[in-house]
Amino acid sequence: MKRALLLIRHTLRLIWQNIGVALRISIPWAVLTFAAVIVAAMLASMAQSGEAPGMALLSFAVFVGAFIVMLFGFGAAATAWHRYILLNELPSGFLPRPPSGLVWPYVGRAFVISLILMAVAIPAMMIFFILLGGITGEGANPSATIILGAVLVLNVLIQFVFMRLAISLPAVALGNRGFSISQAWKQSSSEKITIFWVVVIMTLVAGFVQAITGYGETGGDPATMEQPGILIIVLQLALSWLYVMFGICILTTLYGVIVERREI
């Protein structure tokens, strides 16, 4: 766990020391995506209310466009960050993006990893809950605590697999597409215990933050639920951004340590 804490501290320090770059490569894409989603939602609302029936198709097209922008923006921001930290290459322009020909291969690699995870996670979940039913007894309803614990363990295992496979993503950002997903899995075995503890700590921190910032959610009828204040919303957005940037940056750190043999 000590090495995991060292990697986490190093990653947070990288983000803090380069906060300006982190904001510049991510916020413009986030704002563009958010604006497109808002426009699509307005068009959908107009079509649903009958004010402009012909807007339904346009709204769908804008939603699709927003999704594509989101994918490209994520790939561009992640690739730019990997290259900035590992190559000291700073992207330019209002919508910062790395050299052409890198973003979509990065998104494609992330998609392939997601498919692998689905192929692993679905049978794992089925086996997990069959075993859970066997432990609690046939016809018995497991307590919320048992279910939460089981989901937490499964979530950690899935994220652990993802992080080991995703070490191949910075390689794609650097133009090294020959570094395969299987190579990432094999080379990351030397730090698998460290990666496991990193995932555990990230999961616990994420749960703790969710519990703090989601205090206004009372459940039940949405019309009677307490709505979060503007400060809570801003805090949730800021922490979500930090979590995403941390995920990108920890992959950069792990790639540097495991593949490039860099010292922390």
Short mmCIF file of all heavy atoms in Angstrom, two decimals, residues 215-255:
data_model
loop_
_atom_site.label_atom_id
_atom_site.label_comp_id
_atom_site.label_asym_id
_atom_site.label_seq_id
_atom_site.Cartn_x
_atom_site.Cartn_y
_atom_site.Cartn_z
N TYR A 215 -25.63 14.30 -0.20
CA TYR A 215 -26.45 14.25 1.01
C TYR A 215 -27.89 14.65 0.78
O TYR A 215 -28.78 14.27 1.52
CB TYR A 215 -25.86 15.16 2.08
CG TYR A 215 -26.07 16.64 1.82
CD1 TYR A 215 -27.19 17.30 2.34
CD2 TYR A 215 -25.16 17.37 1.06
CE1 TYR A 215 -27.39 18.65 2.10
CE2 TYR A 215 -25.36 18.72 0.83
CZ TYR A 215 -26.46 19.36 1.35
OH TYR A 215 -26.66 20.69 1.11
N GLY A 216 -28.16 15.42 -0.30
CA GLY A 216 -29.52 15.91 -0.54
C GLY A 216 -30.43 14.90 -1.18
O GLY A 216 -31.64 15.12 -1.30
N GLU A 217 -29.90 13.74 -1.59
CA GLU A 217 -30.72 12.73 -2.26
C GLU A 217 -31.45 11.90 -1.21
O GLU A 217 -30.84 11.14 -0.47
CB GLU A 217 -29.82 11.86 -3.14
CG GLU A 217 -29.13 12.68 -4.24
CD GLU A 217 -28.15 11.82 -5.04
OE1 GLU A 217 -28.14 10.59 -4.81
OE2 GLU A 217 -27.43 12.36 -5.87
N THR A 218 -32.73 12.04 -1.15
CA THR A 218 -33.51 11.36 -0.11
C THR A 218 -34.25 10.14 -0.63
O THR A 218 -34.83 9.40 0.13
CB THR A 218 -34.54 12.34 0.50
OG1 THR A 218 -35.38 12.82 -0.56
CG2 THR A 218 -33.82 13.51 1.15
N GLY A 219 -34.25 9.94 -1.94
CA GLY A 219 -34.95 8.80 -2.53
C GLY A 219 -36.44 9.06 -2.63
O GLY A 219 -36.95 10.10 -2.23
N GLY A 220 -37.15 8.09 -3.18
CA GLY A 220 -38.60 8.24 -3.30
C GLY A 220 -38.99 9.03 -4.52
O GLY A 220 -38.32 9.01 -5.55
N ASP A 221 -40.10 9.73 -4.39
CA ASP A 221 -40.66 10.50 -5.50
C ASP A 221 -39.72 11.63 -5.87
O ASP A 221 -39.39 12.47 -5.04
CB ASP A 221 -42.01 11.08 -5.08
CG ASP A 221 -42.71 11.78 -6.23
OD1 ASP A 221 -42.14 11.79 -7.34
OD2 ASP A 221 -43.82 12.29 -6.02
N PRO A 222 -39.27 11.70 -7.15
CA PRO A 222 -38.37 12.77 -7.57
C PRO A 222 -38.95 14.16 -7.32
O PRO A 222 -38.21 15.11 -7.08
CB PRO A 222 -38.18 12.51 -9.08
CG PRO A 222 -38.49 11.06 -9.24
CD PRO A 222 -39.53 10.74 -8.23
N ALA A 223 -40.28 14.28 -7.36
CA ALA A 223 -40.90 15.60 -7.16
C ALA A 223 -40.72 16.09 -5.72
O ALA A 223 -40.75 17.29 -5.47
CB ALA A 223 -42.38 15.52 -7.50
N THR A 224 -40.55 15.15 -4.79
CA THR A 224 -40.42 15.54 -3.38
C THR A 224 -38.98 15.49 -2.90
O THR A 224 -38.70 15.78 -1.73
CB THR A 224 -41.26 14.61 -2.49
OG1 THR A 224 -40.77 13.26 -2.62
CG2 THR A 224 -42.72 14.66 -2.91
N MET A 225 -38.05 15.11 -3.77
CA MET A 225 -36.65 15.01 -3.36
C MET A 225 -36.03 16.39 -3.19
O MET A 225 -36.33 17.32 -3.95
CB MET A 225 -35.85 14.22 -4.41
CG MET A 225 -36.16 12.74 -4.43
SD MET A 225 -35.30 11.88 -5.77
CE MET A 225 -33.60 12.17 -5.32
N GLU A 226 -35.19 16.51 -2.22
CA GLU A 226 -34.48 17.76 -1.99
C GLU A 226 -33.44 17.95 -3.08
O GLU A 226 -32.62 17.08 -3.34
CB GLU A 226 -33.80 17.72 -0.62
CG GLU A 226 -33.03 18.99 -0.29
CD GLU A 226 -32.29 18.86 1.03
OE1 GLU A 226 -32.58 17.91 1.77
OE2 GLU A 226 -31.42 19.71 1.29
N GLN A 227 -33.48 19.09 -3.74
CA GLN A 227 -32.55 19.36 -4.82
C GLN A 227 -31.25 19.95 -4.27
O GLN A 227 -31.28 20.80 -3.38
CB GLN A 227 -33.18 20.34 -5.83
CG GLN A 227 -34.43 19.80 -6.50
CD GLN A 227 -34.18 18.51 -7.24
OE1 GLN A 227 -33.21 18.39 -7.97
NE2 GLN A 227 -35.06 17.54 -7.04
N PRO A 228 -30.10 19.51 -4.81
CA PRO A 228 -28.84 20.05 -4.31
C PRO A 228 -28.68 21.52 -4.66
O PRO A 228 -29.15 21.98 -5.71
CB PRO A 228 -27.79 19.19 -5.03
CG PRO A 228 -28.49 18.70 -6.26
CD PRO A 228 -29.93 18.52 -5.87
N GLY A 229 -28.01 22.26 -3.78
CA GLY A 229 -27.76 23.67 -4.03
C GLY A 229 -26.69 23.87 -5.08
O GLY A 229 -26.00 22.93 -5.48
N ILE A 230 -26.52 25.11 -5.51
CA ILE A 230 -25.57 25.43 -6.57
C ILE A 230 -24.14 25.10 -6.15
O ILE A 230 -23.33 24.64 -6.95
CB ILE A 230 -25.70 26.92 -6.98
CG1 ILE A 230 -24.79 27.22 -8.18
CG2 ILE A 230 -25.37 27.84 -5.81
CD1 ILE A 230 -25.19 26.50 -9.45
N LEU A 231 -23.83 25.31 -4.86
CA LEU A 231 -22.48 25.01 -4.39
C LEU A 231 -22.18 23.52 -4.46
O LEU A 231 -21.07 23.11 -4.83
CB LEU A 231 -22.29 25.52 -2.96
CG LEU A 231 -22.26 27.04 -2.78
CD1 LEU A 231 -22.11 27.40 -1.31
CD2 LEU A 231 -21.11 27.65 -3.59
N ILE A 232 -23.18 22.70 -4.12
CA ILE A 232 -23.01 21.24 -4.20
C ILE A 232 -22.82 20.80 -5.64
O ILE A 232 -21.98 19.95 -5.95
CB ILE A 232 -24.20 20.52 -3.56
CG1 ILE A 232 -24.26 20.79 -2.06
CG2 ILE A 232 -24.12 19.02 -3.81
CD1 ILE A 232 -23.07 20.28 -1.29
N ILE A 233 -23.60 21.40 -6.54
CA ILE A 233 -23.48 21.07 -7.97
C ILE A 233 -22.10 21.43 -8.49
O ILE A 233 -21.44 20.64 -9.19
CB ILE A 233 -24.57 21.79 -8.79
CG1 ILE A 233 -25.96 21.25 -8.41
CG2 ILE A 233 -24.32 21.61 -10.28
CD1 ILE A 233 -27.10 21.98 -9.07
N VAL A 234 -21.62 22.63 -8.15
CA VAL A 234 -20.29 23.06 -8.57
C VAL A 234 -19.22 22.13 -7.99
O VAL A 234 -18.27 21.74 -8.69
CB VAL A 234 -20.03 24.52 -8.13
CG1 VAL A 234 -18.56 24.90 -8.38
CG2 VAL A 234 -20.95 25.47 -8.88
N LEU A 235 -19.39 21.77 -6.72
CA LEU A 235 -18.43 20.87 -6.08
C LEU A 235 -18.44 19.50 -6.76
O LEU A 235 -17.37 18.91 -7.00
CB LEU A 235 -18.78 20.72 -4.60
CG LEU A 235 -17.86 19.79 -3.78
CD1 LEU A 235 -16.43 20.30 -3.80
CD2 LEU A 235 -18.37 19.67 -2.35
N GLN A 236 -19.63 19.00 -7.10
CA GLN A 236 -19.72 17.71 -7.77
C GLN A 236 -19.04 17.75 -9.13
O GLN A 236 -18.33 16.80 -9.52
CB GLN A 236 -21.19 17.30 -7.92
CG GLN A 236 -21.85 16.87 -6.62
CD GLN A 236 -23.33 16.60 -6.78
OE1 GLN A 236 -23.97 17.11 -7.70
NE2 GLN A 236 -23.90 15.78 -5.90
N LEU A 237 -19.25 18.82 -9.88
CA LEU A 237 -18.61 18.97 -11.20
C LEU A 237 -17.10 19.03 -11.07
O LEU A 237 -16.37 18.40 -11.83
CB LEU A 237 -19.15 20.21 -11.90
CG LEU A 237 -20.59 20.16 -12.39
CD1 LEU A 237 -21.03 21.52 -12.93
CD2 LEU A 237 -20.76 19.09 -13.46
N ALA A 238 -16.62 19.82 -10.08
CA ALA A 238 -15.18 19.97 -9.87
C ALA A 238 -14.55 18.63 -9.49
O ALA A 238 -13.49 18.26 -10.01
CB ALA A 238 -14.91 21.01 -8.80
N LEU A 239 -15.20 17.90 -8.59
CA LEU A 239 -14.67 16.61 -8.15
C LEU A 239 -14.75 15.56 -9.26
O LEU A 239 -13.86 14.71 -9.38
CB LEU A 239 -15.41 16.13 -6.91
CG LEU A 239 -15.15 16.94 -5.63
CD1 LEU A 239 -16.05 16.47 -4.50
CD2 LEU A 239 -13.68 16.83 -5.21
N SER A 240 -15.79 15.64 -10.09
CA SER A 240 -15.89 14.72 -11.23
C SER A 240 -14.75 14.98 -12.21
O SER A 240 -14.14 14.03 -12.73
CB SER A 240 -17.25 14.90 -11.93
OG SER A 240 -18.30 14.55 -11.08
N TRP A 241 -14.49 16.26 -12.46
CA TRP A 241 -13.37 16.62 -13.36
C TRP A 241 -12.05 16.10 -12.78
O TRP A 241 -11.23 15.51 -13.50
CB TRP A 241 -13.30 18.14 -13.53
CG TRP A 241 -12.10 18.59 -14.31
CD1 TRP A 241 -11.97 18.67 -15.67
CD2 TRP A 241 -10.83 18.99 -13.77
NE1 TRP A 241 -10.71 19.10 -16.01
CE2 TRP A 241 -9.99 19.30 -14.87
CE3 TRP A 241 -10.33 19.12 -12.48
CZ2 TRP A 241 -8.68 19.73 -14.70
CZ3 TRP A 241 -9.01 19.54 -12.31
CH2 TRP A 241 -8.20 19.84 -13.41
N LEU A 242 -11.84 16.31 -11.48
CA LEU A 242 -10.61 15.86 -10.84
C LEU A 242 -10.48 14.35 -10.92
O LEU A 242 -9.38 13.82 -11.16
CB LEU A 242 -10.58 16.33 -9.38
CG LEU A 242 -9.35 15.90 -8.56
CD1 LEU A 242 -8.08 16.45 -9.19
CD2 LEU A 242 -9.48 16.37 -7.11
N TYR A 243 -11.58 13.64 -10.73
CA TYR A 243 -11.54 12.17 -10.77
C TYR A 243 -11.15 11.68 -12.17
O TYR A 243 -10.34 10.75 -12.30
CB TYR A 243 -12.90 11.60 -10.36
CG TYR A 243 -12.88 10.11 -10.12
CD1 TYR A 243 -12.42 9.59 -8.91
CD2 TYR A 243 -13.32 9.22 -11.10
CE1 TYR A 243 -12.40 8.22 -8.68
CE2 TYR A 243 -13.29 7.85 -10.87
CZ TYR A 243 -12.84 7.37 -9.66
OH TYR A 243 -12.80 6.00 -9.44
N VAL A 244 -11.73 12.30 -13.20
CA VAL A 244 -11.40 11.91 -14.58
C VAL A 244 -9.94 12.22 -14.88
O VAL A 244 -9.20 11.38 -15.43
CB VAL A 244 -12.32 12.62 -15.58
CG1 VAL A 244 -11.84 12.37 -17.02
CG2 VAL A 244 -13.76 12.13 -15.43
N MET A 245 -9.49 13.43 -14.50
CA MET A 245 -8.09 13.81 -14.73
C MET A 245 -7.15 12.91 -13.95
O MET A 245 -6.07 12.54 -14.45
CB MET A 245 -7.86 15.27 -14.35
CG MET A 245 -8.36 16.28 -15.37
SD MET A 245 -7.68 16.05 -17.05
CE MET A 245 -5.91 16.08 -16.76
N PHE A 246 -7.54 12.54 -12.74
CA PHE A 246 -6.69 11.65 -11.96
C PHE A 246 -6.58 10.29 -12.64
O PHE A 246 -5.50 9.70 -12.69
CB PHE A 246 -7.26 11.48 -10.54
CG PHE A 246 -6.43 10.56 -9.68
CD1 PHE A 246 -5.34 11.05 -8.99
CD2 PHE A 246 -6.74 9.21 -9.58
CE1 PHE A 246 -4.55 10.20 -8.22
CE2 PHE A 246 -5.97 8.36 -8.81
CZ PHE A 246 -4.87 8.85 -8.12
N GLY A 247 -7.71 9.78 -13.16
CA GLY A 247 -7.68 8.51 -13.86
C GLY A 247 -6.75 8.54 -15.07
O GLY A 247 -6.00 7.58 -15.32
N ILE A 248 -6.79 9.64 -15.83
CA ILE A 248 -5.91 9.78 -16.99
C ILE A 248 -4.46 9.88 -16.54
O ILE A 248 -3.55 9.25 -17.10
CB ILE A 248 -6.30 11.03 -17.81
CG1 ILE A 248 -7.68 10.84 -18.44
CG2 ILE A 248 -5.27 11.31 -18.90
CD1 ILE A 248 -8.24 12.10 -19.07
N CYS A 249 -4.24 10.65 -15.48
CA CYS A 249 -2.87 10.91 -15.02
C CYS A 249 -2.25 9.69 -14.36
O CYS A 249 -1.04 9.46 -14.49
CB CYS A 249 -2.87 12.11 -14.07
SG CYS A 249 -1.21 12.78 -13.77
N ILE A 250 -3.05 8.90 -13.64
CA ILE A 250 -2.47 7.70 -13.00
C ILE A 250 -2.03 6.70 -14.05
O ILE A 250 -1.02 5.99 -13.87
CB ILE A 250 -3.49 7.06 -12.01
CG1 ILE A 250 -2.79 6.03 -11.11
CG2 ILE A 250 -4.64 6.40 -12.75
CD1 ILE A 250 -1.84 6.62 -10.12
N LEU A 251 -2.73 6.65 -15.19
CA LEU A 251 -2.30 5.80 -16.29
C LEU A 251 -0.97 6.29 -16.86
O LEU A 251 -0.09 5.49 -17.21
CB LEU A 251 -3.35 5.75 -17.39
CG LEU A 251 -4.66 5.02 -17.07
CD1 LEU A 251 -5.62 5.10 -18.25
CD2 LEU A 251 -4.39 3.57 -16.71
N THR A 252 -0.84 7.62 -16.94
CA THR A 252 0.42 8.21 -17.41
C THR A 252 1.55 7.84 -16.47
O THR A 252 2.65 7.45 -16.91
CB THR A 252 0.30 9.74 -17.48
OG1 THR A 252 -0.90 10.10 -18.16
CG2 THR A 252 1.48 10.35 -18.22
N THR A 253 1.29 7.95 -15.17
CA THR A 253 2.30 7.62 -14.17
C THR A 253 2.68 6.15 -14.25
O THR A 253 3.88 5.80 -14.24
CB THR A 253 1.77 7.95 -12.76
OG1 THR A 253 1.45 9.34 -12.67
CG2 THR A 253 2.81 7.61 -11.70
N LEU A 254 1.69 5.27 -14.32
CA LEU A 254 1.96 3.84 -14.37
C LEU A 254 2.72 3.46 -15.64
O LEU A 254 3.63 2.62 -15.60
CB LEU A 254 0.65 3.05 -14.30
CG LEU A 254 -0.05 3.06 -12.93
CD1 LEU A 254 -1.45 2.47 -13.03
CD2 LEU A 254 0.77 2.28 -11.91
N TYR A 255 2.37 4.08 -16.77
CA TYR A 255 3.09 3.81 -18.01
C TYR A 255 4.55 4.23 -17.87
O TYR A 255 5.46 3.49 -18.29
CB TYR A 255 2.43 4.55 -19.18
CG TYR A 255 3.11 4.30 -20.50
CD1 TYR A 255 2.77 3.19 -21.28
CD2 TYR A 255 4.09 5.16 -20.99
CE1 TYR A 255 3.39 2.94 -22.50
CE2 TYR A 255 4.72 4.92 -22.21
CZ TYR A 255 4.37 3.81 -22.95
OH TYR A 255 4.99 3.56 -24.16
#
